[in-house]
Amino acid sequence: RVTGIKKKNGRVCGVITNKGEIEAEYVVNCGGMWAHELGKMAGVNVPLHAAEHYYLITEPIEGMHPGLPSVEDPELFAYYREEMGGLMLGLFEPVAGPWGMGGIPDGFSFGEIQPDWDRLMPYVEKALERIPAAKEAGVHKFFCGPESFTPDMGTVMGEAPELKNYFVCAGLNSLGILFGGGAGQILAQWIVDGYPPVDTSGINIDRFMPFENTPKFLHDRTVELLGWQYISWPNLQPETARNVRKSAIYDRLLEAGAYYGQSVGWEYPDWFAPQGIEARVEYSWGRQNWFEYVAAEHQACREDVILMDLTHMSKFLVQGREAKKYLNQICANNVAVPVGKIVYTQWLNERGTIEADMTVTRLADDCFYLVLVDAAHTHCKTWLQNHIPPEAHVFVTDVTAGYNILNVQGPKSRQLLSSLTSADVSNEAFPYLTAQEIDIGYALVNALRVTYVGELGWELHVPTDFTLHVFDALVEAGAGAGLRHAGFQALDTLRLEKAYRDYGHDIDNTDYPMEVGLGSFVDFEKPGGFIGKEALIRHKESGPYKYRFVQFLLNDPEPLLYGGEPIYRDGARVGYLSAGGYGHTLGAAVGLGCVENEDGVSTDFIKSGSYEIEVASQRFPAKASLRPMYDPKGIKVRS
């Protein structure tokens, strides 16, 4: 029995058991539903929680044999397969029963737990109707046992942010037999080589925040997690463990018709219902009920001005006498710029592939402001800690909760801001990719002229205590400029038209900047170099690129794209879309993805092909472009 974990200088160094101690350079926590408690012994957050899981096995049925296929029925939350000549019927019901709130009982192994017949029988009865022969067979075994699940139904793998050389391989969400071989191979390579061989954005343990490991959060979220095995709608949002983190304007936007999604606990406006319409989703793989509402938000951004809450983005201050030195080693682009400049950059690993993607604003000689995607919060914080020496005069401060981001975008954004500030926001006085402190009403606001939608616009980084004041001023003044609230569905469609990348979806830790169109943001000439420079140079000199990042626009305006759809060039499959949405300005669905070819992917290779995107087994012709189809020269963002 494991009773403790030994640590020294921030590293794991052994395991304590009831039969003695074991020294170890590496420790892997692959304890299944016990992984949570094993993690707590080491001070490591492993967020997962057990739930009741049910299956029954019938008596032998004539005609059943091991060669029959396994069958899944998502509509009934059931799966079926042969077992001992009978039928096994298992359930992943949408309202589950959490188990083990007080911890897993001592001595418990692969055992049975008390079933809740009243809750389960309606699901059992419906599932048995699918296979009539099963209703006539006797029940050989009805089993109720615990299985553990993670808050987002992704696996939990990788090195723990809290403790070096302590790895986790758990949270396989009832699919351990399917995932076990691959998970073991990935983790072995991760440890031996020092890096993972696959995209880890959806599996890395460092995507979680500590609050997601609290008992109540895990218990409440687990209620709906079993059903997620068979629920897979686009933009599916959890209903449990909500309203954990909210911006200062949450209630204002709720009153304005916001339908909220959540990410890493943050509530964010996904879209806005018109006045008199209830803000709720009718899930579908076709046009969902909010499709036209988002189209209007999209149009307002392209033609007038929108206001969008981006508060959930992660924000860090990196300060100190040596902040410029070490941050410039971590960033691929050069952040040794004049005060007030904004730099878009990636962080690379020693292999030259991308670990993070962000903007860095130089606020002072010794102060830099980092803004990055919320899901990479812990990953980036840990990366900074691991790549800045402890003795360096550099201090990293998480200021995410200290600032709300009010995103003002669109051709009339300058008109709106000019009516509220004494600052000169003209193109000459406030150019693209610069930042200034400006006044709005009684507040002082850090205004960053940057965009993720491809229009003239500013991100207003407002101290939390002044956010309501600034928000109300914007809304009041915006009435004359056609101001409209917009959510993240619109943000996604706008950025897809502009072919802006999204880390964790379009780019990840397996991508080189050049292949995904980000080579221009790598400064090979800056003094002191950067992490991954030598590997990137070797890669550039190794031959033609094997894949390139491409934007696609369907010719037919009816089909929708969500990401994951196969890409065909001249009839041969050459990749898949990493993201998709509807280009309301371009007039059809837009997708982003990489085109692959072992012999190389040149510009001529892209231009000379004929492309199709497969949607629900039907192929649709598409245009392909290496440049953004919307405003390819970037005139609007610099206007």
Side-chain angles (χ1 to χ4, degrees), residues 76-339:
L76 299 181
F77 305 98
Y79 63 91
Y80 312 84
R81 66 176 176 86
E82 186 274 342
E83 182 76 14
M84 300 185 300
L87 178 74
M88 173 186 278
L89 160 63
L91 294 166
F92 288 109
E93 66 275 14
V95 181
W99 178 81
M101 270 297 289
I104 300 170
D106 287 344
F108 185 87
S109 185
F110 190 71
E112 297 186 48
I113 57 179
Q114 184 66 35
D116 184 345
W117 295 112
D118 292 338
R119 183 172 60 82
L120 256 292
M121 285 314 296
Y123 298 106
V124 173
E125 291 170 356
K126 287 183 179 180
L128 286 174
E129 289 177 2
R130 182 68 77 202
I131 302 179
K135 296 176 68 175
E136 307 303 324
V139 176
H140 173 73
K141 178 70 176 177
F142 202 121
F143 179 83
C144 175
E147 292 265 20
S148 64
F149 298 86
T150 64
D152 62 1
M153 290 297 284
T155 60
V156 183
M157 296 178 64
E159 186 178 27
E162 302 91 345
L163 184 60
K164 292 184 186 301
N165 288 7
Y166 184 99
F167 281 76
V168 177
C169 185
L172 302 187
N173 302 302
S174 194
L175 298 175
I177 293 175
L178 288 175
F179 288 170
Q185 182 182 22
I186 288 169
L187 202 72
Q189 288 183 251
W190 204 331
I191 293 171
V192 172
D193 299 334
Y195 60 89
V198 297
D199 167 22
T200 61
S201 52
I203 65 174
N204 201 321
I205 189 173
D206 66 13
R207 73 187 185 276
F208 290 111
M209 299 288 286
F211 78 87
E212 294 176 278
N213 201 41
T214 57
K216 181 170 176 54
F217 181 90
L218 289 172
H219 172 274
D220 292 354
R221 177 59 58 81
T222 299
V223 169
E224 64 179 315
L225 291 177
L226 266 73
W228 277 30
Q229 288 283 26
Y230 288 154
I231 299 175
S232 186
W233 296 116
N235 64 282
L236 178 67
Q237 294 291 338
E239 298 179 3
T240 57
R242 293 292 299 266
N243 297 319
V244 179
R245 308 167 81 187
K246 297 189 287 189
S247 75
I249 58 174
Y250 174 89
D251 290 332
R252 294 279 206 278
L253 297 181
L254 189 66
E255 186 178 350
Y259 173 82
Y260 276 96
Q262 73 84 38
S263 177
V264 199
W266 280 107
E267 298 290 321
Y268 65 84
D270 205 31
W271 49 270
F272 287 82
Q275 188 173 3
I277 302 294
E278 182 183 358
R280 63 181 180 84
V281 165
E282 297 172 9
Y283 287 119
S284 167
W285 283 94
R287 284 165 169 73
Q288 295 188 8
N289 60 304
W290 46 260
F291 185 85
E292 296 301 331
Y293 312 154
V294 170
E297 297 171 23
H298 183 114
Q299 182 181 8
C301 183
R302 293 285 186 238
E303 298 178 1
D304 296 311
V305 59
I306 61 166
L307 178 59
M308 183 180 293
D309 185 4
L310 295 183
T311 299
H312 70 291
M313 299 292 285
S314 292
K315 315 164 198 81
F316 293 97
L317 284 177
V318 180
Q319 304 172 86
R321 290 191 304 271
E322 296 179 289
K324 179 186 75 173
K325 171 185 174 182
Y326 286 103
L327 192 58
N328 221 17
Q329 290 176 3
I330 293 170
C331 295
N333 209 346
N334 193 348
V335 299
V337 293
V339 172

Side-chain angles (χ1 to χ4, degrees), residues 444-492:
L444 292 174
V445 172
N446 284 328
L448 278 59
R449 189 176 164 191
V450 66
T451 183
Y452 192 56
V453 299
E455 299 292 341
L456 169 69
W458 282 262
E459 288 180 4
L460 305 179
H461 292 246
V462 189
T464 299
D465 49 343
F466 281 94
T467 299
L468 283 174
H469 172 67
V470 173
F471 174 83
D472 289 342
L474 286 166
V475 171
E476 182 179 355
L483 178 70
R484 190 181 188 110
H485 294 299
F488 265 69
Q489 290 293 339
L491 180 74
D492 202 42

Side-chain angles (χ1 to χ4, degrees), residues 251-441:
D251 290 332
R252 294 279 206 278
L253 297 181
L254 189 66
E255 186 178 350
Y259 173 82
Y260 276 96
Q262 73 84 38
S263 177
V264 199
W266 280 107
E267 298 290 321
Y268 65 84
D270 205 31
W271 49 270
F272 287 82
Q275 188 173 3
I277 302 294
E278 182 183 358
R280 63 181 180 84
V281 165
E282 297 172 9
Y283 287 119
S284 167
W285 283 94
R287 284 165 169 73
Q288 295 188 8
N289 60 304
W290 46 260
F291 185 85
E292 296 301 331
Y293 312 154
V294 170
E297 297 171 23
H298 183 114
Q299 182 181 8
C301 183
R302 293 285 186 238
E303 298 178 1
D304 296 311
V305 59
I306 61 166
L307 178 59
M308 183 180 293
D309 185 4
L310 295 183
T311 299
H312 70 291
M313 299 292 285
S314 292
K315 315 164 198 81
F316 293 97
L317 284 177
V318 180
Q319 304 172 86
R321 290 191 304 271
E322 296 179 289
K324 179 186 75 173
K325 171 185 174 182
Y326 286 103
L327 192 58
N328 221 17
Q329 290 176 3
I330 293 170
C331 295
N333 209 346
N334 193 348
V335 299
V337 293
V339 172
K341 286 287 291 180
I342 302 170
V343 177
Y344 174 53
T345 186
Q346 288 73 48
W347 292 353
L348 309 182
N349 51 46
E350 295 290 352
R351 305 180 310 286
T353 56
I354 302 171
E355 287 288 343
D357 176 84
M358 69 193 65
T359 60
V360 178
T361 303
R362 192 168 192 181
L363 298 180
D365 287 343
D366 61 351
C367 182
F368 296 83
Y369 183 60
L370 282 54
V371 182
L372 50 122
V373 66
D374 55 314
H377 186 105
T378 306
H379 177 77
C380 290
K381 184 178 180 180
T382 304
W383 192 266
L384 287 169
Q385 292 170 346
N386 290 342
H387 292 86
I388 297 174
E391 68 275 9
H393 194 268
V394 183
F395 308 94
V396 178
T397 309
D398 179 3
V399 294
T400 301
Y403 293 92
N404 284 213
I405 305 178
L406 305 183
N407 193 27
V408 180
Q409 299 285 328
K412 296 181 181 177
S413 57
R414 180 177 285 121
Q415 172 189 332
L416 175 58
L417 285 186
S418 296
S419 70
L420 291 168
T421 182
S422 64
D424 185 352
V425 294
S426 67
N427 203 36
E428 295 73 26
F430 205 146
Y432 180 55
L433 291 181
T434 62
Q436 297 180 29
E437 185 179 70
I438 67 173
D439 61 287
I440 295 181

